[in-house]
Amino acid sequence: MGEPQYESEPQHGINSGKSIDPIFDSRGSQTERIIFECRDLSKNYGNFNALHSVTIKIPAGGIVGLLGPNGSGKTTLIKLAMGMLQPTSGEILIDGRKTGAATKAVTAYLPDANYLCNWMRVEQQIDYYADFFPDFKRDKAQQMLSRLGIGLKQKIKTLSKGNKEKLGLILTMSRDAKLYILDEPIAGVDPAARDFILETIMSNKPDDATIFLCTHLIADIEPVLTHAIFLRNGQIALNAPVQEIREKEGKSLDQLFREVFKW
């Protein structure tokens, strides 16, 4: 499948939740299936606005970078998408539906913290996934683990940090989901492990599925991205196809990120 197409909207101010630059203010074509949509989405923690009036539409099929420094609102947006938080105002839709049991059934989520059961063997963790997710492909998971030399009888607590990261990713990518949300999948691992992780993501992505990669390591993931969203202080600072950014700005996504978020 080719890169999703986007239409530009007129310029809007940052306080509206739209892009601060008209070339970065995009929405999905009316002919595209919208997999991820925020409608004037806000989330407050007391007097702190974690997200403010975020409005975006993302068509299905691409690899989207959800990018921004710590405290920009990335984790809050992910938790809202997964139904772990409820919005203060506005709404978030996954494949046209409000978050709930139906959207969780089509969304595969890899959190940024280790969630594996250390007391289990690898095969027990696979059994758990197979029981819990009807779309889980056991054969796919076992094939990828075999490539890594991770035995099914191994206790998870004996695995290295890098192999635990890889196991979590393999379990997530072995689902036949419509939307994959991967929170910091390459943070804290060595360059070789990053290469494996990115190769696993690319080779196991269904053609019509969408992947959200949440990270601040832009240079590592830029080659695989089709679309980029920059979050800054809970608002949209950029929302555009990566190729459009390169053509109109004459610089890489990593270069632009450093300019937008320089101290």
Side-chain angles (χ1 to χ4, degrees), residues 99-121:
T99 55
T103 60
K104 288 180 180 179
V106 300
T107 305
Y109 172 49
L110 178 67
D112 63 342
N114 177 35
Y115 66 97
L116 302 172
C117 298
N118 281 326
W119 58 269
M120 284 187 176
R121 296 189 302 273

Side-chain angles (χ1 to χ4, degrees), residues 20-144:
I20 58 176
D21 188 312
I23 74 163
F24 297 146
D25 195 29
S26 304
R27 62 181 178 179
S29 166
Q30 294 300 313
T31 62
E32 295 270 65
R33 178 168 64 91
I34 303 301
I35 187 67
F36 186 89
E37 181 177 3
C38 298
R39 298 176 178 173
D40 203 26
L41 181 70
S42 295
K43 177 61 181 178
N44 301 336
Y45 299 100
N47 294 325
F48 174 67
N49 297 326
L51 290 175
H52 179 69
S53 299
V54 171
T55 297
I56 49 177
K57 287 185 180 181
I58 302 295
I63 301 179
V64 181
L66 181 61
L67 314 171
N70 293 335
S72 60
K74 302 190 304 297
T75 298
T76 295
L77 182 57
I78 287 173
K79 288 183 177 180
L80 287 166
M82 292 306 301
M84 298 163 67
L85 294 174
Q86 294 301 311
T88 302
S89 61
E91 60 183 355
I92 186 167
L93 305 175
I94 305 296
D95 203 24
R97 292 171 289 188
K98 292 185 178 181
T99 55
T103 60
K104 288 180 180 179
V106 300
T107 305
Y109 172 49
L110 178 67
D112 63 342
N114 177 35
Y115 66 97
L116 302 172
C117 298
N118 281 326
W119 58 269
M120 284 187 176
R121 296 189 302 273
V122 172
E123 62 182 355
Q124 290 175 306
Q125 191 77 72
I126 290 175
D127 289 340
Y128 177 83
Y129 256 69
D131 289 342
F132 201 78
F133 299 109
D135 62 0
F136 182 74
K137 307 298 183 185
R138 182 190 295 270
D139 289 347
K140 178 186 285 190
Q142 291 178 342
Q143 288 171 6
M144 286 190 279

Side-chain angles (χ1 to χ4, degrees), residues 10-22 25 52-53 235-237:
Q11 183 173 1
H12 297 273
I14 187 69
N15 289 332
S16 70
K18 307 294 184 177
S19 168
I20 58 176
D21 188 312
D25 195 29
H52 179 69
S53 299
Q235 298 175 306
I236 301 294

Side-chain angles (χ1 to χ4, degrees), residues 68-241:
N70 293 335
S72 60
K74 302 190 304 297
T75 298
T76 295
L77 182 57
I78 287 173
K79 288 183 177 180
L80 287 166
M82 292 306 301
M84 298 163 67
L85 294 174
Q86 294 301 311
T88 302
S89 61
E91 60 183 355
I92 186 167
L93 305 175
I94 305 296
D95 203 24
R97 292 171 289 188
K98 292 185 178 181
T99 55
T103 60
K104 288 180 180 179
V106 300
T107 305
Y109 172 49
L110 178 67
D112 63 342
N114 177 35
Y115 66 97
L116 302 172
C117 298
N118 281 326
W119 58 269
M120 284 187 176
R121 296 189 302 273
V122 172
E123 62 182 355
Q124 290 175 306
Q125 191 77 72
I126 290 175
D127 289 340
Y128 177 83
Y129 256 69
D131 289 342
F132 201 78
F133 299 109
D135 62 0
F136 182 74
K137 307 298 183 185
R138 182 190 295 270
D139 289 347
K140 178 186 285 190
Q142 291 178 342
Q143 288 171 6
M144 286 190 279
L145 289 170
S146 178
R147 283 177 53 201
L148 283 177
I150 296 178
L152 298 178
K153 300 294 185 181
Q154 282 186 260
K155 282 284 186 72
I156 292 175
K157 66 181 179 181
T158 67
L159 298 178
S160 67
K161 182 179 186 298
N163 278 345
K164 286 180 181 178
E165 297 273 359
K166 293 172 185 176
L167 174 58
L169 178 68
I170 285 170
L171 292 170
T172 302
M173 296 305 299
S174 293
R175 289 186 56 196
D176 188 16
K178 292 183 179 180
L179 176 64
Y180 297 83
I181 299 179
L182 312 179
D183 193 0
E184 299 289 357
I186 59 175
V189 296
D190 60 66
R194 291 179 188 177
D195 290 343
F196 172 86
I197 287 169
L198 290 175
E199 191 275 332
T200 299
I201 291 169
M202 294 299 296
S203 62
N204 290 281
K205 173 188 175 298
D207 287 343
D208 60 347
T210 305
I211 293 178
F212 267 63
L213 285 173
C214 175
T215 186
H216 59 275
L217 300 172
I218 314 303
D220 291 285
I221 69 166
E222 181 171 352
V224 306
L225 296 182
T226 61
H227 193 87
I229 297 171
F230 284 2
L231 277 176
R232 181 172 62 191
N233 298 324
Q235 298 175 306
I236 301 294
L238 177 152
N239 177 24

